[in-house]
Amino acid sequence: MMNRTHVLVTILALVSAPALAQAPSGGGDIAGSATVKVAAPVTGEQVYTQVCQACHMADAKGGSGAAVIPALAGNPKLATAGYPITLILKGRGAMPPLADMLAPAQIANVTGYIRTHFGNSYATPVTAEDVLRLSPPKSAR
């Protein structure tokens, strides 16, 4: 006669066997895998969706809760490209500095995106060189 522990071990082995048999051997990027590698965002829309949208919302209208997140939609402060570039680089209030997380081209792309979407029509192009001019020195980060 089996004891209680033996029965539990047998049940656990039977229940987990199908899952173990389906586990990917290479890990990551396989359907059903627990590890997913996401490509680095390149376009302004991709950067906004992957980095900014969690706080500023899909409609860029911001929100409040643990912090007040300003709206980017219809925001006249975006008329001058240096304003959003500086905030993205250095952060302010609840906005973290992203200079070490995003490349100058990514910052330029997302700045251009928010300035031409969400009811904004500030079409002057933003370049990586514009971002580099406003970037803090490496030692100040």
Side-chain angles (χ1 to χ4, degrees), residues 23-79:
S25 60
D29 290 349
I30 298 172
S33 170
T35 304
V36 177
K37 294 178 183 173
V38 178
V42 177
T43 68
E45 182 178 16
Q46 290 170 339
V47 174
Y48 185 83
T49 301
Q50 293 181 29
V51 179
C52 312
Q53 181 174 295
C55 296
H56 290 282
M57 304 297 140
D59 60 5
K61 291 185 178 175
S64 62
V68 175
I69 308 300
L72 300 174
N75 189 332
K77 291 181 179 179
L78 300 178

Side-chain angles (χ1 to χ4, degrees), residues 15-132:
V15 170
S16 63
L20 292 174
Q22 295 175 16
S25 60
D29 290 349
I30 298 172
S33 170
T35 304
V36 177
K37 294 178 183 173
V38 178
V42 177
T43 68
E45 182 178 16
Q46 290 170 339
V47 174
Y48 185 83
T49 301
Q50 293 181 29
V51 179
C52 312
Q53 181 174 295
C55 296
H56 290 282
M57 304 297 140
D59 60 5
K61 291 185 178 175
S64 62
V68 175
I69 308 300
L72 300 174
N75 189 332
K77 291 181 179 179
L78 300 178
T80 303
Y83 178 77
I85 292 171
T86 301
L87 286 178
I88 294 167
L89 288 169
K90 299 178 182 179
R92 187 167 116 203
M95 171 78 182
L98 301 175
D100 290 334
M101 181 180 160
L102 297 173
Q106 291 172 305
I107 294 171
N109 291 344
V110 76
T111 300
Y113 179 74
I114 63 173
R115 294 179 74 234
T116 57
H117 290 77
F118 312 113
N120 300 312
S121 58
Y122 310 114
T124 305
V126 179
T127 66
E129 290 74 27
D130 297 330
V131 174
L132 288 170

